[in-house]
Amino acid sequence: MVPDNVVETATLAEAGAAASRGSRRSASAYAEALLAGERHRPQGAPGAVPRPVRSVGVIGAGLMASQLALLFARQLGVPVLITDLSQEKVDGALTGIAGHLEKLVARGQLTPTAARELGSLVRGTVDKREFRNCDVVIEAVFEELSVKRAVFAEIEPLLREDALLLTNTSSLSVAAIGRGLTHPERLVGLHFFNPVAVLPLVEIISTENNDDVSVASACSLARLLGKTAVLVTDTPGFVVNRILSRLFCELLRIIDDGAEVQLADHALDPLGLPMTPLTLLGFIGPAVQLHICETMHAAYPDRFYVSTSLAAIAAARLRGYLDKSGTVLPAAAAAALLPQADAGPPAPGAESIRARILDALADEVGLMLAENVVAGPADVDLCMLLGANFPVHQGGLTPMLDLSGASRRVWGKEFHPGPGFAE
Ligand SMILES: NC(=O)c1ccc[n+]([C@@H]2O[C@H](COP(=O)([O-])OP(=O)(O)OC[C@H]3O[C@@H](n4cnc5c(N)ncnc54)[C@H](O)[C@@H]3O)[C@@H](O)[C@H]2O)c1
């Protein structure tokens, strides 16, 4: 008998091929087939028996850690302990979580009793020794290798030998974070997306050091948390941040070279992305995105550009290039010396900017697939649909790259080969 997942994969391949040369309807059908298959174990997940999770420790009480603490308590119904560098930070996170629960009650999404029970599951401490009985410990501290290493060096001797260690790093090497651990085989990357309660994706980053039980436990945990997991190898930026960063780097290089900012920012409008790139950059924050671009540049200097305008905007502590209405902030234009609409030599038009960015994305996806970062193009699309809200009607990303001709321009073939296309 043919196993279910083989039938599904074959159907998906056909849907992908149809999407790549057909209508928006076939692109939607492909994306829907992809999302329907998400209930399965991620492609490549080991079959080992996962360890049970009876209590969770969260290190860091910032933006991500607070959301993670609530997600763990809500989905697993187990005690969650949260810590940070000071009692003040821990208290701040607990107050934030209590406020969030109140909002859920006010909106009718939680009963007062359930909110009280959930609130009582999350406890704070500044004494990391209290983590000794946790089955799972996840860190969401600053995105600095030395800080993350120091956190694990401090916590590992306090934990049981079979506790699962997780890092929420968004671009650092998980193996590098685990260097120095007595048991590096139990450290897995579990990259959640902000806002944690809303974005359904989790990238699970396995390293060559991992044992099967740790990866299987991370996959099982992702499922228990109600997330869709994609297994990713330990490569810079993983999938979503690598692709988004390549997009940002290409766009910002075009802007730094003299293109008019708003014209460049709106060049991708016909693709139907959830927002313009510079609007998204405003949400991510210039300093955070600059840091990711620098990490990516260090790994792949030829392809990832560290933008001078982004660096200037981050240094000036501005919220981004645009104000809330989407026009260029005068302070950003001044800080980054952005070109005015009517100044300088003729800048490229929207169509050529769009083609350049699509070609850059096709280049990046092809390289990722050649490096076996994920199992195939469908995983890239799943990541971009669920982690970055790329459009279902475009099939995520790879059908869009095929349909626009970018895949063929860059690689001489489509990502979804089918009848009529040479492999
Ligand atoms: N912000 C996002 O959108 C986002 C999305 C996905 C992943 N991430 C990743 O999550 C991690 C945290 O990001 P964030 O935005 O929540 O940062 P944040 O600055 O809001 O929080 C980090 C917290 O870690 C604490 N901390 C630092 N050193 C510590 C230590 N030794 N022990 C205990 N606590 C310590 C800090 O005091 C701070 O409260 C980073 O690795 C980041 O790349 C962030």
Side-chain angles (χ1 to χ4, degrees):
M1 198 177 116
V2 186
D4 271 2
N5 61 340
V6 173
V7 174
E8 190 164 63
T9 305
T11 314
L12 201 55
E14 284 162 20
S20 290
R21 59 190 52 69
S23 61
R24 288 198 164 176
R25 224 176 58 204
S26 44
S28 298
Y30 162 75
E32 277 153 22
L34 197 53
L35 296 173
E38 61 164 83
R39 64 189 179 277
H40 296 297
R41 239 186 16 212
Q43 291 270 316
V49 178
R51 293 204 185 94
V53 183
R54 289 152 305 202
S55 65
V56 176
V58 180
I59 308 183
L63 177 70
M64 292 301 284
S66 314
Q67 298 182 70
L68 291 176
L70 189 55
L71 178 78
F72 282 110
R74 208 169 168 186
Q75 292 293 126
L76 306 179
V78 301
V80 177
L81 195 55
I82 187 163
T83 191
D84 205 295
L85 293 171
S86 68
Q87 189 63 48
E88 200 187 344
K89 292 228 172 196
V90 172
D91 291 344
L94 294 178
T95 308
I97 289 170
H100 189 76
L101 288 172
E102 270 171 33
K103 267 192 211 148
L104 293 177
V105 172
R107 284 191 218 135
Q109 290 167 333
L110 212 57
T111 65
T113 313
R116 253 193 319 280
E117 280 169 11
L118 267 179
S120 69
L121 283 176
V122 184
R123 226 166 43 74
T125 181
V126 283
D127 182 358
K128 292 193 173 94
R129 284 173 305 184
E130 289 192 46
F131 279 60
R132 62 186 166 276
N133 289 322
C134 290
D135 294 314
V136 173
V137 173
I138 184 164
E139 72 74 24
V141 300
F142 300 140
E143 185 75 350
E144 288 293 339
L145 186 57
S146 58
V147 178
K148 289 185 187 292
R149 270 195 190 150
V151 161
F152 282 122
E154 183 188 0
I155 200 87
E156 191 185 30
L158 307 175
L159 301 176
R160 287 200 325 264
E161 291 216 336
D162 63 350
L164 177 67
L165 303 182
L166 301 170
T167 168
N168 185 43
T169 181
S170 38
S171 57
L172 298 172
S173 157
V174 176
I177 293 172
R179 212 163 289 141
L181 283 177
T182 310
H183 292 290
E185 71 280 0
R186 59 170 160 169
L187 175 66
V188 182
L190 210 58
H191 180 213
F192 291 86
F193 291 80
N194 184 33
V196 173
V198 176
L199 290 174
L201 181 70
V202 101
E203 291 175 337
I204 298 188
I205 301 105
S206 63
T207 75
E208 52 188 30
N209 301 325
N210 283 138
D211 59 11
D212 283 356
V213 177
S214 300
V215 179
S217 300
C219 293
S220 154
L221 182 59
R223 198 168 45 243
L224 292 171
L225 292 171
K227 298 294 180 191
T228 297
V230 173
L231 261 181
V232 180
T233 56
D234 191 16
T235 41
F238 316 126
V239 176
V240 175
N241 279 335
R242 178 161 166 181
I243 289 172
L244 286 181
S245 295
R246 184 74 196 267
L247 191 161
F248 286 132
C249 288
E250 208 56 36
L251 177 74
L252 296 178
R253 199 198 296 262
I254 292 169
I255 289 174
D256 290 357
D257 285 348
E260 203 261 307
V261 179
Q262 267 169 316
L263 180 131
D265 191 33
H266 284 281
L268 299 184
D269 283 0
L271 305 181
L273 300 180
M275 58 186 85
T276 71
L278 293 184
T279 310
L280 177 60
L281 199 149
F283 283 113
I284 295 170
V288 171
Q289 188 54 49
L290 178 67
H291 191 53
I292 298 176
C293 286
E294 284 168 346
T295 305
M296 297 308 296
H297 175 78
Y300 307 112
D302 296 345
R303 306 199 305 278
F304 288 85
Y305 162 72
V306 179
S307 159
T308 49
S309 62
L310 180 62
I313 285 168
R317 295 178 177 274
L318 299 172
R319 61 182 298 274
Y321 289 72
L322 308 177
D323 67 14
K324 281 193 178 135
S325 71
T327 39
V328 178
L329 278 167
L337 302 175
L338 296 174
Q340 303 300 310
D342 53 356
E351 207 168 311
S352 75
I353 293 174
R354 186 160 59 251
R356 200 168 135 183
I357 292 175
L358 286 169
D359 286 4
L361 296 181
D363 183 45
E364 205 56 43
V365 170
L367 292 168
M368 284 171 65
L369 294 175
E371 288 170 32
N372 294 317
V373 173
V374 285
D379 276 354
V380 172
D381 292 320
L382 199 51
C383 284
M384 299 316 287
L385 285 162
L386 298 179
N389 275 331
F390 267 40
V392 169
H393 73 266
Q394 298 273 25
L397 177 59
T398 59
M400 184 199 290
L401 296 173
D402 287 357
L403 263 176
S404 67
S407 318
R408 188 159 278 268
R409 281 196 297 274
V410 177
W411 296 105
K413 62 181 183 179
E414 281 66 29
F415 289 115
H416 297 274
F421 284 107
E423 246 301 71

